[in-house]
Amino acid sequence: MLALAVLVLTLPYAAAASPSGSVTLKAPYGGQGLDSASWATTGCGTKFSLSPLPDFNTSKGTFVGGLSASARSCGASNSSLFGEIEGSLGTTEFSVAADGTYRVTVHWRLAYTVALAATTGGASQFAGSYGLVGAYAVVDDITNGSAYTVGGNDSYYGNSANATSTHYAFPVTYAASISLVAGHEYIVVAGVYAEVNVFLTPGHSSASASVNMGKSGDKASVTSIVIP
């Protein structure tokens, strides 16, 4: 398995603690962005590509990236390829003035295109492909290493006998009330990821899968983060 990872550092944004209200963060965000890609393959006849490379831009609050996988039957063994890209934003540190339960909210807007195809070469052969896109938000207590889930979900797209290419665009909001401790330092981590997988048996089959989150306006955006 090969892997690519890029860490992007940005200038800090000072988010002051607010004992009586909340602070809404919007782009440009402080903190840091983290981007990664990984893939694994078995058998032969597989191909994987990244375009564009995963990139979380903290100044704009946007993530772009694209990945595609394909496979064709060859040899006497099954073939498969799995690939994933991910990007995340980690805010600068914040604290609360008093112990208590505080509301944390993260607003995303996702836009992407999923293209899938799978063709079997015969009745005894099999070919399949799928794509998956998901997002999440967590609060990390960097004082003691604890993590608290704000929210997360993903959407799965499976292949059909005919090639498909479908565009999706929608907002996602994650919110949770979390017990925070005065004197501890916290960050919010908001992340997005996409996966592709193709697999087939020997014979004369083929499969392909791609997720575009970086061309023709497709991208993932953190539109705002509300912290105590």
Side-chain angles (χ1 to χ4, degrees):
M1 180 176 71
L2 302 176
L4 167 70
V6 181
L7 179 66
V8 180
L9 297 178
T10 61
L11 294 176
Y13 175 96
S18 177
S20 59
S22 60
V23 175
T24 298
L25 308 179
K26 293 187 176 183
Y29 293 100
Q32 63 182 26
L34 179 65
D35 315 305
S36 65
S38 61
W39 57 97
T41 184
T42 61
C44 57
T46 61
K47 181 180 179 180
F48 181 71
S49 62
L50 296 167
S51 180
L53 293 175
D55 177 32
F56 201 112
N57 187 319
T58 55
S59 295
K60 297 179 179 179
T62 58
F63 173 78
V64 297
L67 71 171
S68 61
S70 63
R72 289 187 176 276
S73 296
C74 63
S77 300
N78 296 340
S79 296
S80 68
L81 194 153
F82 171 85
E84 180 179 37
I85 58 174
E86 183 172 0
S88 63
L89 160 70
T91 66
T92 50
E93 300 168 10
F94 67 92
S95 59
V96 294
D99 295 358
T101 300
Y102 295 85
R103 193 74 169 170
V104 176
T105 305
V106 177
H107 296 283
W108 279 97
R109 179 164 180 80
L110 305 181
Y112 55 90
T113 300
V114 179
L116 301 170
T119 303
T120 56
S124 61
Q125 300 174 35
F126 178 81
S129 62
Y130 78 74
L132 183 146
V133 176
Y136 61 88
V138 299
V139 172
D140 285 342
D141 184 335
I142 63 174
T143 300
N144 64 14
S146 300
Y148 307 93
T149 299
V150 178
N153 66 291
D154 54 49
S155 299
Y156 170 89
Y157 307 95
N159 72 279
S160 62
N162 299 317
T164 61
S165 180
T166 308
H167 175 260
Y168 303 89
F170 52 91
V172 180
T173 297
Y174 302 125
S177 296
I178 299 172
S179 296
L180 304 180
V181 179
H184 286 208
E185 297 291 336
Y186 299 92
I187 64 171
V188 175
V189 178
V192 62
Y193 54 93
E195 300 175 359
V196 292
N197 197 354
V198 293
F199 39 92
L200 43 83
T201 57
H204 303 283
S205 301
S206 63
S208 63
S210 68
V211 176
N212 165 48
M213 202 181 293
K215 299 177 182 177
S216 301
D218 283 347
K219 60 186 177 182
S221 302
V222 180
T223 55
S224 66
I225 299 174
V226 182
I227 60 175

